[in-house]
């Protein structure tokens, strides 16, 4: 093999390493759950685009089926681990790097091809979507393949002056037609590539081969016709995630993301983006004034501008844009333009070119590090939430998910014994019906694990949670890392822990605070987790008079020397104040204390104190501020 082949293989291996690195680290997020669902369908089911939203509601996905059909085939052979599901995108991302080299070399020079490939390999934007079980990496590959095959069909490029279509075989045209159709059947925005390619065909053939132009136009209409069905289904729907954005805002976010990487603040700092834009403008300007490179530059500018402007025009009718991923096809000419600019600078000053290239590569590396390790760029951690609920929920509990589509990802990870329920039933937007259903479910089970995030698609995001906080007792809640839609649960019960007398498992205590207002009447057994990392306590409180405010309880686990091994400070219940407790009744208060160092063998005491405000602990009748609630002995 030639030196060029070995270099290209090395570049592919580097691209592959970057894309498989930490491939399974992040949970499948909201949209990837839909990919899993469709990967489990048959080819006819995927072609119909029908999806059954839990529990049994028939609806349609608005994304074309090709990616899901390919993913379904991969799943048959490789299974449906996160690694396997994302591997199709990994390979698409690697092949895109090789194609960037081929297109850059054809349009400009061998050096421009290498520079484009390096930019694509290190692009944090491309790496992100090459590690996601969605269609964007495949869409980028197919769209660039379509353009490359069109260039070959017409023998276009700086090194190829013959624009006669007879220079290409019929096989090239057949491949172009197949790949172009595949592009549109992978993502709807592939449709915006067709007008650009139609312009190229007209400009090449328009004067001398009008018949071929008409035939090509008819062929393109045949390719595009079926995709209109999917487009109309998207246009007929309404998605609150999509909103109109002006062109300057879209453009700024695009070049920020393409040059540096996707950011949660939408826009990158100006100083990080200016060098890349300067190189792009330099290459474009030089290419337009250089007669030998003008045709290739016009092709590249059209490849970027035509799909972008058409996409933006459609947004006046139906908003389509929620982020750069929807325009990933124009990231490719963007990198080619930067590569051309670096090539031009290199021919005049290698030092300047190396300086700019080093800056670009360092910036890409730094942002890759951010994407890989910064918790702020964690995808919705539905995996941790589902596994926690699986471990803690009992068969007497119920797990309720609000988001119908989000529940697909949750179910991918959920293995618990508690039955699953879906409230509201998609696509109902009746909040009253949803709260009534949640109330009925809460009355029929011990506890309700309410998955509030990802949010529901059809009712206000906090409607059920707000109702539950006013009518049910919240026992626990937790929010998990997320960079967009969120991942969180709330644990509620309709069975308030009110008792007339101590159960037989509890020991009697008689500690009093505030004269006769608050009593510690009893304590249940202390339970230590098998790994000795969590301590579960149970206390029984009683109020004889209505307190004026809520109480703050402090529980400390100490050994015989007084050394502290665990500490918990907070109210007994976060949505049920002591001022609302029924007087004269026993209130069961369960809590978990983390033991960060583990718990060695020995004798321990649980000490309890009470305050109205942090730092102002109340005294007991005997003048002390802490009461011993329980003792525990850990055997060696």
């Amino acid at each position: 093999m030639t030196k060029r082949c070995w270099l290209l293989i090395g570049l592919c291996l580097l691209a592959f390493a970057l894309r498989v690195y930490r491939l399974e680290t992040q949970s499948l997020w909201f949209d990837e759950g839909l990919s899993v669902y469709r990967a489990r369908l048959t080819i006819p089911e995927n072609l119909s685009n029908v999806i059954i939203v839990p529990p049994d509601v028939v609806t349609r996905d608005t994304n074309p089926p090709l990616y899901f059909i390919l993913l379904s085939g991969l799943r048959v052979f490789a299974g449906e681990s996160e690694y396997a599901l994302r591997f199709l995108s990994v390979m698409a991302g690697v092949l895109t790097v090789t194609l960037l080299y081929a297109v850059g070399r054809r349009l400009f020079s061998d050096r421009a091809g290498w520079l484009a490939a390096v930019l694509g390999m290190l692009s944090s934007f491309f790496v992100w979507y090459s590690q996601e079980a969605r269609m964007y990496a495949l869409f980028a590959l197919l769209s660039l393949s379509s353009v490359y095959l069109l260039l070959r069909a017409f023998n276009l490029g700086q090194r190829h002056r013959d624009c006669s279509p007879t220079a290409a075989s019929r096989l090239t045209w057949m491949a172009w037609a197949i790949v172009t159709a595949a592009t549109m059947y992978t993502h709807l925005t592939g449709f915006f590539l067709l007008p650009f390619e139609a312009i190229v065909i007209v400009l090449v053939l328009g004067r001398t081969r009008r018949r071929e132009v008409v035939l090509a136009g008819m062929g393109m209409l045949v390719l595009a016709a079926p995709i209109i069905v999917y487009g109309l289904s998207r246009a007929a729907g309404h998605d609150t995630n999509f909103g109109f954005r002006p062109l300057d805002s879209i453009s700024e976010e695009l070049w920020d993301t393409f040059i540096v990487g996707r950011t949660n603040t939408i826009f990158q700092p100006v100083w990080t983006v200016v060098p890349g834009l300067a190189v792009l403008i330099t290459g474009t300007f030089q290419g337009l004034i250089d007669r030998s490179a003008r045709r290739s530059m016009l092709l590249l500018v059209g490849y970027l501008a035509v799909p972008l402007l058409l996409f933006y025009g459609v947004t006046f009718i139906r908003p389509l844009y929620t982020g750069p991923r929807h325009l990933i096809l124009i990231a490719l000419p963007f990198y080619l333009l930067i590569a051309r600019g670096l090539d031009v600078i290199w021919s005049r000053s290698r030092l300047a070119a190396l300086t700019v290239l080093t800056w670009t590569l360092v910036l890409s590396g730094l942002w890759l590090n951010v994407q890989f390790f910064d918790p702020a760029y964690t995808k919705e951690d539905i995996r941790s939430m589902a596994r926690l609920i699986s471990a803690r929920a009992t068969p007497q509990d119920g797990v309720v998910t609000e988001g119908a589509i989000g529940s697909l990802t949750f179910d991918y990870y959920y293995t618990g014994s508690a039955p699953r329920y879906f409230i509201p039933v998609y696509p109902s937007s009746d909040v009253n019906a949803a709260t009534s259903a949640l109330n009925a479910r809460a009355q029929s089970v011990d506890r309700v694990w309410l998955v509030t995030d990802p949010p529901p698609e059809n009712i206000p995001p906090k409607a059920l949670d707000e109702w539950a906080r006013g009518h049910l007792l919240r026992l626990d809640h937790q929010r998990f890392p997320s960079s967009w839609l969120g991942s969180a649960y709330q644990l509620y019960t309709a069975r308030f822990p009110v008792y007339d007398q101590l159960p037989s498992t509890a020991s009697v205590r008689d500690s009093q605070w505030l004269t006769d207002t608050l009593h510690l009447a009893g304590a249940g057994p202390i339970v230590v987790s098998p790994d000795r990392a969590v301590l579960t306590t149970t206390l029984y409180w009683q109020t004889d008079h209505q307190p004026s405010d809520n109480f703050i309880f402090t529980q400390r686990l100490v050994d015989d020397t007084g050394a502290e091994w665990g500490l918990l400070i907070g109210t007994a219940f976060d949505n049920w104040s002591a001022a609302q407790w029924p007087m004269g009744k026993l209130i069961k208060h369960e809590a978990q204390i983390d033991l960060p160092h583990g718990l060695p063998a020995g004798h321990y005491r649980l000490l309890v104190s009470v305050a109205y405000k942090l730092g102002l602990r109340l005294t007991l009748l005997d003048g002390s501020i802490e009461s011993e609630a329980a003792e525990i002995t850990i055997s060696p």
Side-chain angles (χ1 to χ4, degrees):
M1 287 193 295
T2 64
K3 181 180 178 181
R4 179 186 294 118
C5 289
W6 283 113
L7 286 173
L8 198 56
I9 290 172
L11 206 62
C12 288
L13 290 175
L14 288 173
F16 180 78
L18 276 176
R19 283 151 179 79
V20 297
Y21 178 62
R22 296 171 63 87
L23 187 60
E24 292 181 293
T25 299
Q26 296 216 40
S27 165
L28 296 183
W29 74 288
F30 185 92
D31 282 4
E32 288 179 292
L34 182 58
S35 296
V36 176
Y37 173 86
R38 294 197 63 174
R40 293 169 175 171
L41 301 179
T42 64
I43 291 178
E45 288 171 333
N46 266 310
L47 289 173
S48 72
N49 260 35
V50 170
I51 58 175
I52 310 297
V53 175
D56 291 301
V57 180
V58 178
T59 184
R60 288 183 180 273
D61 189 6
T62 57
N63 290 299
L66 179 60
Y67 168 78
F68 304 111
I69 292 173
L70 297 176
L71 188 64
S72 178
L74 178 63
R75 173 182 169 271
V76 170
F77 294 101
E80 57 176 44
S81 67
E82 293 120 320
Y83 193 99
L85 292 168
R86 289 168 172 162
F87 197 76
L88 177 60
S89 295
V90 168
M91 294 311 299
V94 172
L95 292 174
T96 301
V97 170
T98 65
L99 206 54
L100 279 169
Y101 165 75
V103 175
R105 182 171 183 268
R106 170 171 281 272
L107 288 177
F108 299 113
S109 68
D110 195 57
R111 185 166 56 221
W114 287 119
L115 290 168
V118 169
L119 291 173
M121 176 196 69
L122 284 177
S123 166
S124 58
F125 173 65
F126 274 171
V127 170
W128 180 273
Y129 288 105
S130 295
Q131 293 191 321
E132 189 168 284
R134 295 294 286 168
M135 71 289 296
Y136 302 108
L138 178 64
F139 176 54
L141 172 65
L142 291 173
S143 63
L144 186 59
S145 299
S146 175
V147 172
Y148 176 69
L149 288 168
L150 187 65
L151 295 177
R152 286 185 62 90
F154 283 128
N155 210 24
L156 289 172
Q158 190 168 351
R159 297 182 174 186
H160 307 272
R161 312 306 301 174
D162 180 12
C163 292
S164 170
T166 59
S169 66
R170 292 182 181 179
L171 186 61
T172 303
W173 281 108
M174 290 175 60
W176 171 81
I178 293 170
V179 170
T180 303
T183 302
M184 291 185 291
Y185 280 92
T186 301
H187 197 271
L188 286 173
T189 54
F191 179 82
F192 299 109
L193 186 65
L194 273 186
F196 159 69
E197 296 189 327
I199 291 172
V200 174
I201 292 172
V202 169
L203 290 175
V204 174
L205 298 179
R207 292 184 179 180
T208 59
R209 295 175 175 268
R210 295 181 180 178
R211 182 172 176 272
E212 283 87 343
V213 171
V214 172
L215 290 174
M218 293 175 62
M220 296 177 86
L221 286 175
V222 170
L223 290 176
I227 205 69
I228 294 174
V229 175
Y230 297 105
L232 290 175
S233 67
R234 169 65 64 89
H238 175 70
D239 192 334
T240 56
N241 292 321
F242 291 81
F244 179 80
R245 287 270 298 275
L247 183 59
D248 61 336
S249 176
I250 292 176
S251 300
E252 184 176 358
E253 184 179 7
L254 288 174
W255 69 55
D256 283 6
T257 305
F258 296 164
I259 293 175
V260 184
R262 58 175 299 279
T263 171
N264 294 337
T265 58
I266 300 181
F267 302 124
Q268 295 282 6
V270 174
W271 60 268
T272 63
V273 180
V274 167
L277 285 179
V279 171
L280 182 146
I281 293 170
T282 299
T284 304
F285 180 76
Q286 193 279 339
L288 292 176
I289 63 175
D290 182 356
R291 184 172 297 179
S292 65
R294 185 177 301 162
R295 185 175 59 182
S296 293
M297 184 56 64
L298 287 172
L299 273 167
L300 209 50
V301 170
Y303 181 12
L304 187 149
V306 172
L308 172 61
L309 293 176
L310 287 173
F311 178 92
Y312 178 65
V314 172
T315 63
F316 284 93
I317 304 171
R318 171 71 161 84
L320 298 173
Y321 183 82
T322 61
R325 68 185 187 276
H326 292 135
L327 283 167
I328 195 171
L329 81 165
I330 67 169
L332 303 158
F334 191 91
Y335 291 131
L336 288 163
L337 286 170
I338 293 180
R340 169 59 181 173
L342 285 169
D343 190 19
V344 169
I345 296 172
W346 186 283
S347 64
R348 288 160 174 75
S349 172
R350 289 191 177 185
L351 179 61
L354 284 171
T355 301
V356 176
L357 181 60
T358 301
W359 167 268
T360 304
L361 298 183
V362 168
L363 200 62
S364 297
L366 290 174
W367 202 258
L368 280 170
N369 184 69
V370 168
Q371 286 187 179
F372 283 136
F373 298 108
D374 190 336
Y377 289 83
T378 301
K379 297 177 183 180
E380 282 70 36
D381 192 6
I382 300 174
R383 175 174 59 196
S384 293
M385 176 176 63
R387 288 177 177 175
L388 183 149
I389 295 175
S390 297
R392 296 186 181 178
T394 69
Q396 290 72 42
D397 294 343
V399 179
V400 173
T401 49
E402 295 188 55
I405 304 300
S407 68
L408 299 174
T409 311
F410 181 88
D411 286 342
Y412 172 80
Y413 290 111
Y414 180 68
T415 57
S417 58
R420 294 272 287 105
Y421 305 100
F422 306 93
I423 302 173
V425 175
Y426 183 86
S428 171
S429 58
D430 189 335
V431 175
N432 291 331
T435 55
S436 296
L438 179 59
N439 183 42
R441 186 57 57 202
Q443 300 297 333
S444 66
V445 297
D446 286 350
R447 301 177 299 176
V448 171
W449 298 81
L450 179 63
V451 178
T452 52
D453 295 288
E457 296 87 6
N458 44 318
I459 65 171
K462 302 301 179 184
L464 287 186
D465 190 33
E466 290 174 355
W467 177 89
R469 292 194 194 192
H471 297 81
L472 305 175
L473 179 63
R474 190 165 78 162
L475 302 174
D476 187 23
H477 62 95
Q478 189 168 344
R479 179 166 293 277
F480 298 82
S482 171
S483 59
W484 189 24
L485 295 175
S487 177
Y489 74 83
Q490 322 290 322
L491 179 60
Y492 288 103
T493 182
R495 303 177 183 182
F496 285 69
V498 179
Y499 295 80
D500 291 321
Q501 60 185 14
L502 283 174
S504 58
T505 55
S507 302
V508 176
R509 294 290 184 270
D510 189 19
S511 301
Q512 296 184 23
W513 283 266
L514 297 176
T515 313
D516 293 324
T517 300
L518 181 67
H519 301 262
L520 175 60
I526 293 179
V527 179
V528 181
S529 62
D531 59 1
R532 299 185 181 181
V534 177
L535 187 79
T536 301
T537 67
T538 303
L539 303 176
Y540 293 87
W541 300 97
Q542 186 178 47
T543 56
D544 295 331
H545 302 289
Q546 200 73 50
S548 59
D549 201 350
N550 202 7
F551 294 116
I552 297 174
F553 300 97
T554 299
Q555 299 185 46
R556 296 195 309 131
L557 186 71
V558 300
D559 61 21
D560 288 337
T561 68
E564 187 177 282
W565 286 85
L567 175 66
L568 181 67
I569 303 175
T571 58
F573 309 101
D574 63 4
N575 72 325
W576 191 35
S577 170
Q580 300 171 301
W581 294 356
M583 290 182 292
K585 299 289 187 178
L586 296 174
I587 308 299
K588 181 181 180 181
H589 170 204
E590 290 185 323
Q592 290 188 329
I593 303 175
D594 292 327
L595 307 174
H597 306 294
L599 201 61
H603 180 261
Y604 299 88
R605 296 180 299 149
L606 180 67
L607 304 180
V608 179
S609 60
V610 181
Y612 271 140
K613 295 181 180 179
L614 287 176
L616 298 174
R617 289 193 287 184
L618 306 174
T619 58
L620 288 98
L621 292 182
D622 61 6
S624 62
I625 59 173
E626 284 187 312
S627 173
E628 182 179 306
E631 295 182 351
I632 180 174
T633 299
I634 301 296
S635 301

